[in-house]
Amino acid sequence: MSIEVAPIVARLQLDVPAAEAVIDDAMIALLSLTTSVVTARRDTAGVPAAKGHAMIQRLTKAQMSLVGISGDVLRVHGELVTIGRETAGYDIHQDCPERKSAVLPLHAVA
């Protein structure tokens, strides 16, 4: 069975970076929520430091889950590159589109 590889590669070149970006967005949103929760606890008079601790732990656990997901998707990306190189002779890393981001890199805000 002969399958045209170019459309498959083109689709993956869109889907993989899109998935990576969505995971990054989810991590940012969760970090923002965690910051808001901790700030609200700190800034609300009469709320003891122990209040909401379990909630903050759950948010941190969710964040670590996303970090794990991100790592898994990055490994999949690498495996796809290897498959592309082995089966189609593509130098996929060279063909991977650059991720564009409106977020400044950390060194730009430090």
Side-chain angles (χ1 to χ4, degrees), residues 4-93:
E4 181 61 35
V5 176
I8 295 168
V9 171
R11 186 174 58 245
L12 288 170
Q13 285 178 324
L14 294 174
D15 290 348
V16 172
E20 291 169 344
V22 169
I23 294 165
D24 285 347
D25 289 344
M27 286 195 294
I28 291 166
L30 206 50
L31 284 168
S32 179
L33 174 59
T34 303
T35 299
S36 295
V37 167
V38 174
T39 301
R41 181 183 67 176
R42 182 197 64 195
D43 293 347
T44 303
V47 175
K51 193 70 167 180
H53 186 72
M55 179 176 38
I56 294 166
Q57 283 181 310
R58 282 191 290 277
L59 286 168
T60 302
K61 182 179 176 184
Q63 184 69 35
M64 288 308 299
S65 294
L66 284 173
V67 170
I69 291 166
S70 177
D72 288 340
V73 171
L74 289 172
R75 281 186 284 285
V76 166
H77 192 158
E79 290 170 13
L80 287 169
V81 168
T82 300
I83 291 169
R85 203 176 282 133
E86 290 172 354
T87 61
Y90 283 107
D91 187 2
I92 305 292
H93 276 306

